[in-house]
Amino acid sequence: MKKNLKQNLKNAYPKNINKIIELISSVADKRKVKAFMVGGVVRDLLLNNPSVDLDITLEGISGVEFAEIIADSLGASFKTYPQFNTSTIKTKDAVKIDIATCRKELYLKPGILPEVKSSDIKEDLKRRDFTINAIAISLNSKTFADVVDYYGGYPDLENHLIRIMHDNSFNDDPTRILRAIRFAARLNFNFDTDTKVLLNKAIKEKKLNSVSKNRIRQELRLILSEEDCFAQIKKLDEYINLDFIHPNLKISSSMDRSFSQARDYLLRFIKESNIKDLSKDARWIVNFMILIDDLKQDEMESILEDFNFTNSIKNKVIKYKKFSAQVSKLLGQADKLKASHVYGILNPLCLEASFAIISRTDKICVKDKIWSFIVKDRLIKIKVTGDDLKDMGITPGPKFDFILTRLLYAKIDKDIINKEDELKLIKKLI
Ligand code: CTP
């Protein structure tokens, strides 16, 4: 077990992040306050899987005041959350630095967010969920990169164990039931014996019922955002049973394959295409579509209502559920479908729906058509504008839209290439 991680920090992070760490260290020294890296960032660093963001906790100064100095030095923007005494800095090269003040939490009622008081690092680590998330790394120069591990998190990491910090942990914050399962599935770790007993007890006593549906929805999003979504769903089913989402939700035989296909397609899209129009929520939305695919329309809609999903998510998922089977069938029937026809079928749905359908189908010809739509055809634009049409004497209305659509479809099918071709086609159409 290593006690100092100076070399690990240097090797794990790129230069820009090491520079930020040095800056935090020197400002903390100057202000005579203690600064630490904490939480999941430390866990992931020790697992040789360093994250791109930083989580900093300070002893003896308000996180907001400190963040202002750091943000100023970096020429970065920052947002403060005074009610939690925390700030988030976003640097120009998109590094996110969360800065907080050591705090103690008082749980007044299970499932409700706790009352917060300032404290030192020992207390701050004690309030956390699991020992593996309660390790800190000192950033002050005299103790730079020393591991601060009061609760045995480091040996638990080495032994692949998830252990709660105290017996009341799942009662204080029942969302930790879902977090425990998520980390166990993600890291392929086991629960320590007592933790497993208390976890099962909290599940049996239905502690999750005291948590608001909004918080459960946030946890569900995190579960569905995980890279190995099937491992998550399987573990969730093993411990809680998927009926906490909906009584008829079951693991289907094709789910495993669909989740892994979705992961592969999304990764391929990010890697291969230089288009950055996929929302950061895409992964969980696609996985959610796959998860609910075997439910009936009204069952799926009751999940969306129950967990208070936003209207934009509701619209995407409801439309997917309504049309996905029909879309797969249409795309699978005719082998020689024109690219514009595929566009006409897929474009009314959201992009996530295309990813879900491509991941659910077994037919290679359907996959090929959807992939061409995703990476190529949906991005094609015509050169002619509405103003050009007006200049040609066409007034806005159904004819106007018809012409623009015909031009776009002709361009997708490569029947026309440039603006000259477009103008010629317009003349034929009017
Ligand atoms: N934490 C906690 N109890 C919770 C949520 C968070 O104790 N219900 C603490 C943990 O120490 C955690 C840290 O806050 O490490 C940061 O929370 P979060 O960003 O949600 O978790 P990470 O551990 O960073 O997980 P991930 O890798 O999924 O981002």
Side-chain angles (χ1 to χ4, degrees):
M1 189 171 95
K2 271 194 191 166
K3 293 274 189 221
N4 185 283
L5 299 173
K6 209 176 206 162
Q7 207 50 43
N8 299 52
L9 281 179
K10 216 173 178 172
N11 297 339
Y13 291 121
K15 260 191 192 153
N16 60 336
I17 298 203
N18 272 309
K19 277 227 162 96
I20 296 171
I21 293 174
E22 278 164 31
L23 174 71
I24 292 170
S25 172
S26 85
V27 173
D29 280 356
K30 257 187 224 141
R31 302 290 304 232
K32 297 194 169 42
V33 295
K34 291 187 185 169
F36 303 89
M37 258 169 82
V38 281
V41 178
V42 176
R43 176 199 68 223
D44 292 342
L45 178 78
L46 291 169
L47 289 171
N48 290 322
N49 184 24
S51 57
V52 285
D53 301 326
L54 292 175
D55 234 327
I56 306 294
T57 289
L58 304 153
E59 223 181 75
I61 190 172
S62 125
V64 175
E65 192 184 333
F66 193 86
E68 210 170 334
I69 306 171
I70 300 295
D72 255 9
S73 312
L74 293 170
S77 63
F78 83 110
K79 247 189 179 169
T80 60
Y81 306 92
Q83 69 273 39
F84 301 114
N85 211 353
T86 59
S87 300
T88 300
I89 300 174
K90 254 273 166 71
T91 68
K92 284 177 203 139
D93 44 359
V95 180
K96 186 165 108 15
I97 314 162
D98 283 325
I99 301 195
T101 314
C102 286
R103 64 180 204 248
K104 200 176 173 169
E105 288 176 347
L106 276 172
Y107 286 89
L108 302 174
K109 235 171 133 188
I112 306 292
L113 289 174
E115 230 174 56
V116 170
K117 282 190 170 154
S118 60
S119 72
D120 59 14
I121 189 70
K122 193 169 180 183
E123 285 284 352
D124 186 275
L125 295 174
K126 194 175 172 187
R127 73 175 169 87
R128 291 173 186 262
D129 49 4
F130 312 113
T131 57
I132 59 165
N133 290 341
I135 314 170
I137 294 175
S138 171
L139 295 182
N140 292 83
S141 58
K142 274 198 186 141
T143 48
F144 188 77
D146 278 356
V147 175
V148 179
D149 182 21
Y150 292 108
Y151 306 104
Y154 202 158
D156 280 346
L157 259 187
E158 292 186 317
N159 295 320
H160 295 181
L161 281 178
I162 311 256
R163 185 196 306 272
I164 39 174
M165 301 286 292
H166 57 84
D167 287 0
N168 224 21
S169 186
F170 292 125
N171 293 340
D172 282 349
D173 180 358
T175 61
R176 288 176 176 163
I177 295 171
L178 298 173
R179 286 176 65 86
I181 292 169
R182 181 159 61 88
F183 286 120
R186 182 204 294 177
L187 304 171
N188 201 12
F189 277 20
N190 299 312
F191 297 117
D192 114 276
T193 314
D194 291 345
T195 300
K196 193 168 177 170
V197 170
L198 291 167
L199 174 72
N200 282 324
K201 185 167 175 274
I203 293 169
K204 213 167 157 202
E205 289 170 358
K206 301 208 175 297
K207 295 287 179 199
L208 275 172
N209 288 353
S210 66
V211 179
S212 73
K213 291 283 187 185
N214 280 354
R215 288 190 74 203
I216 302 266
R217 186 194 62 242
Q218 282 165 14
E219 293 300 325
L220 209 52
R221 274 178 60 159
L222 293 173
I223 289 165
L224 292 167
S225 300
E226 291 282 336
E227 203 167 316
D228 190 346
C229 191
F230 188 65
Q232 294 287 333
I233 297 297
K234 229 171 49 182
K235 186 80 70 196
L236 207 56
D237 196 39
E238 179 188 338
Y239 279 87
I240 309 187
N241 198 322
L242 296 183
D243 65 7
F244 93 97
I245 304 173
H246 189 280
N248 291 345
L249 186 61
K250 304 264 176 313
I251 293 185
S252 72
S253 58
S254 61
M255 240 180 221
D256 186 5
R257 198 165 161 274
S258 302
F259 281 134
S260 88
Q261 294 247 325
R263 178 186 56 202
D264 294 349
Y265 276 115
L266 287 164
L267 280 177
R268 186 172 154 197
F269 179 81
I270 293 162
K271 231 182 182 174
E272 279 180 22
S273 104
N274 51 11
I275 321 142
K276 302 273 174 267
D277 62 348
L278 202 62
S279 88
K280 65 175 178 27
D281 288 331
R283 185 187 287 183
W284 79 259
I285 298 173
V286 174
N287 284 336
F288 184 64
M289 288 168 170
I290 292 171
L291 182 73
I292 52 85
D293 223 1
D294 287 340
L295 289 178
K296 297 196 184 101
Q297 184 85 17
D298 60 327
E299 294 170 335
M300 180 275 303
E301 284 182 24
S302 83
I303 298 178
L304 294 171
E305 281 306 320
D306 247 21
F307 291 94
N308 210 6
F309 281 91
T310 62
N311 282 339
S312 138
I313 300 293
K314 277 185 197 161
N315 290 338
K316 286 182 178 193
V317 182
I318 289 173
K319 228 169 162 185
Y320 164 78
K321 179 76 192 154
K322 241 185 195 155
F323 297 110
S324 60
Q326 204 181 331
V327 164
S328 275
K329 207 168 155 199
L330 274 172
L331 295 179
Q333 267 168 357
D335 209 23
K336 288 232 168 347
L337 217 51
K338 279 189 169 185
S340 62
H341 198 164
V342 176
Y343 178 97
I345 293 170
L346 290 172
N347 202 48
L349 301 177
C350 61
L351 185 53
E352 289 91 347
S354 286
F355 275 100
I357 299 169
I358 200 175
S359 308
R360 292 279 286 147
T361 182
D362 289 328
K363 289 193 171 169
I364 300 292
C365 69
V366 176
K367 286 182 182 298
D368 289 347
K369 284 173 196 147
I370 301 177
W371 190 247
S372 291
F373 166 78
I374 290 176
V375 295
K376 198 166 61 65
D377 297 333
R378 75 187 169 89
L379 302 160
I380 292 175
K381 301 263 180 294
I382 49 171
K383 292 259 182 338
V384 160
T385 63
D387 284 342
D388 290 327
L389 290 191
K390 280 187 220 156
D391 289 347
M392 294 170 86
I394 310 161
T395 43
K399 178 93 183 177
F400 202 87
D401 296 340
F402 166 78
I403 292 174
L404 289 175
T405 308
R406 283 294 301 271
L407 288 179
L408 178 65
Y409 282 17
K411 191 148 186 190
I412 289 173
D413 292 333
K414 298 195 177 71
D415 294 337
I416 57 173
I417 311 280
N418 50 33
K419 190 163 179 179
E420 216 185 314
D421 298 340
E422 290 177 19
L423 293 169
K424 269 192 216 156
L425 182 57
I426 296 172
K427 281 187 187 138
K428 273 195 209 161
L429 292 170
I430 52 180

